[in-house]
Amino acid sequence: MAKTIYIAGLGLIGASMALGIKRDHPDYEILGYNRSQASRDIALKEGMIDRATDDFASFAPLADIIILSLPIKQTISFIKELADLDLKEGVIISDAGSTKSAIVDAAEQYLTGKPVSFVGAHPMAGSHKTGAASADVNLFENAYYIFTPSSLTSPDTLEEMKNLLSGLHARFIEIDTKEHDRVTSQISHFPHILASSLMEQTATYAQEHEMARRFAAGGFRDMTRIAESEPGMWTSILLSNRETILDRIEDFKERLDEVGQAISKGDEEQIWNFFNQAREQRQAMEIHKRGGVDSSYDLYVDVPDEEDVILRILELLRGTSLVNIHINEENREDIHGILQISFRNAQDLERAEHLITENTDYTVVIK
Ligand code: NAD
């Protein structure tokens, strides 16, 4: 039976979800709320949604499923607003917020006793881009889509949500709300703090040591890439997961002190073990295998340093949706360099490998 879905917030996440829902459920009506007209217009024009409003309350009573895809603070204030609206009996309400406890607590505070089902959710994919203009139907492909069920989640809700979101091609998983915030503080929130701290430290240092800017290369780039993230989103993430993040910061200070002490003592064995342990741990981690969070499908081409070689490869790959291309300059030794091309899925990767090996004599490696 065709359903009416209401997506509030037609930003990167909300608009990409709309595209994914349409892919598997073209008969569903998707209603969209957005504060600014620009994303409303894009979402309507691109057929992501069927109808749009800037008045959140107006569409809520029409929906079978409501997805709030807004900043955390706004998600909480709309949950509060929903509690006073005359919604369809049994409506499912979900969200997309990057932290879960504050949102699930708010839902429990405002929605308990109402004839609704609420399930917290966090699609673990994104980018530094914002707005409906950046929407991508493949954004969530192979990414974890986390649900944090609570006492407000009625039994069929998860199945209904998974069915609704099947076109996202994400990997659904359920986890306790607080555990979600603890785990993401370690693997996502704290790394963002580190990246931005390192960036700021380096920028300050570079004021007196101009060469620091010039010499910063691959390692520095990899460590600081996420310092380009959207500041508003990260401010609200840190403020809605304070205790857990503070705990990670304290823990990290101790680790830095330990390395500092080993260096000051000149303890070669401890320093070697420190690096070796981290290397082994990283190699054993899921990001090293296919399909981990943020993982992509990478292909390395050993290319000669000749004019137009990259253009030639890109020409071969026309029509294959690559997500990133990168020249590993550090690996260049005289004439050879390594071109790293990342794809969204295994099919594209295989197709690219085939095209390049068939049409060139370059060595292709998949790691
Ligand atoms: P976005 O900036 O692309 O979109 C945010 C949306 O919220 C826009 O539609 C904007 O108009 C609306 N909005 C902002 N402030 C508002 C306000 N005060 N009142 C009404 N509407 C308002 O952001 P996004 O990346 O789509 O993020 C949406 C949610 O998804 C956030 O909770 C974020 O934590 C979460 N999330 C983001 C990512 C990511 O990497 N971008 C990943 C996973 C989850």
Side-chain angles (χ1 to χ4, degrees):
M1 200 183 69
K3 291 187 174 154
T4 301
I5 314 302
Y6 186 21
I7 299 181
L10 300 168
L12 171 74
I13 300 293
S16 299
M17 283 173 83
L19 286 173
I21 293 170
K22 284 260 175 210
R23 175 148 70 180
D24 271 9
H25 303 286
D27 54 329
Y28 284 14
E29 185 183 33
I30 303 189
L31 311 176
Y33 156 87
N34 204 67
R35 187 177 51 165
S36 77
Q37 191 172 344
S39 283
R40 281 202 308 273
D41 287 351
I42 291 169
L44 278 172
K45 192 167 145 269
E46 300 294 325
M48 300 168 184
I49 56 168
D50 301 292
R51 286 196 279 156
T53 182
D54 63 351
D55 171 16
F56 172 68
S58 66
F59 280 168
L62 309 175
D64 299 301
I65 299 180
I66 300 173
I67 298 176
L68 305 170
S69 182
L70 302 137
I72 296 162
K73 231 173 157 177
Q74 196 58 34
T75 299
I76 291 173
S77 84
F78 277 174
I79 287 174
K80 191 172 172 205
E81 202 172 327
L82 285 172
D84 295 326
L85 295 175
D86 191 13
L87 304 176
K88 272 193 188 172
E89 178 98 19
V91 59
I92 292 176
I93 302 169
S94 190
D95 76 303
S98 304
T99 61
K100 298 274 43 97
S101 297
I103 290 173
V104 173
D105 286 353
E108 279 178 358
Q109 183 183 348
Y110 300 115
L111 300 177
T112 299
K114 308 272 175 193
V116 306
S117 177
F118 179 87
V119 63
H122 176 199
M124 284 197 81
S127 76
H128 57 281
K129 296 184 198 155
T130 58
S134 332
D136 176 1
V137 70
N138 294 316
L139 183 68
F140 306 104
E141 195 151 318
N142 289 321
Y144 282 117
Y145 196 109
I146 304 176
F147 290 110
T148 60
S150 65
S151 60
L152 286 176
T153 313
S154 71
D156 298 337
T157 297
L158 283 173
E159 271 326 295
E160 291 213 31
M161 286 300 292
K162 288 178 196 173
N163 180 281
L164 173 74
L165 302 171
S166 59
L168 269 53
H169 303 168
R171 297 193 286 171
F172 299 115
I173 190 163
E174 290 153 47
I175 175 174
D176 171 75
T177 307
K178 291 206 158 43
E179 183 63 359
H180 168 277
D181 288 358
R182 281 191 287 265
V183 173
T184 50
S185 75
Q186 175 65 51
I187 51 90
S188 169
H189 311 164
F190 181 64
H192 274 80
I193 297 173
L194 268 187
S196 296
S197 305
L198 179 62
M199 194 55 249
E200 289 189 6
Q201 183 197 37
T202 308
T204 309
Y205 200 68
Q207 287 170 2
E208 309 252 312
H209 305 268
E210 197 256 322
M211 285 298 181
R213 251 178 240 287
R214 217 181 292 177
F215 292 165
F220 185 80
R221 183 195 50 231
D222 289 349
M223 287 287 295
T224 54
R225 180 180 62 81
I226 52 178
E228 285 190 42
S229 302
E230 208 278 304
M233 187 174 114
W234 284 95
T235 304
S236 54
I237 288 174
L238 299 203
L239 291 180
S240 59
N241 198 17
R242 284 191 231 184
E243 254 175 60
T244 346
I245 293 170
L246 285 173
D247 177 68
R248 295 299 77 208
I249 291 178
E250 284 311 309
D251 180 87
F252 199 81
K253 283 184 191 163
E254 284 172 25
R255 282 166 195 278
L256 273 189
D257 282 346
E258 251 176 58
V259 188
Q261 279 160 18
I263 298 168
S264 98
K265 280 190 287 177
D267 189 335
E268 191 176 339
E269 195 185 335
Q270 194 185 344
I271 298 170
W272 188 89
N273 282 333
F274 163 71
F275 282 118
N276 189 50
Q277 206 177 324
R279 176 164 74 166
E280 285 177 1
Q281 285 160 337
R282 189 172 195 281
Q283 283 166 350
M285 228 185 155
E286 203 182 347
I287 41 172
H288 239 279
K289 303 176 202 146
R290 292 281 143 67
V293 172
D294 272 350
S295 80
S296 52
Y297 295 82
D298 295 335
L299 175 148
Y300 297 83
V301 194
D302 198 358
V303 290
D305 195 4
E306 284 169 9
E307 229 178 88
D308 291 347
V309 70
I310 296 176
L311 280 178
R312 184 174 171 214
I313 290 175
L314 289 180
E315 188 57 45
L316 286 171
L317 299 182
R318 191 185 279 276
T320 311
S321 66
L322 56 93
V323 290
N324 207 351
I325 181 159
H326 175 66
I327 302 163
N328 288 328
E329 287 159 279
E330 309 90 283
N331 294 340
R332 284 189 106 92
E333 282 175 18
D334 294 339
I335 54 162
H336 281 75
I338 304 285
L339 184 65
Q340 178 183 355
I341 313 176
S342 310
F343 300 89
R344 182 94 60 195
N345 56 49
Q347 295 92 294
D348 286 344
L349 176 71
E350 274 165 32
R351 182 165 179 262
E353 183 193 18
H354 179 73
L355 285 169
I356 299 170
T357 45
E358 283 291 297
N359 294 290
T360 71
D361 50 10
Y362 307 149
T363 307
V364 177
V365 179
I366 292 178
K367 285 190 212 166

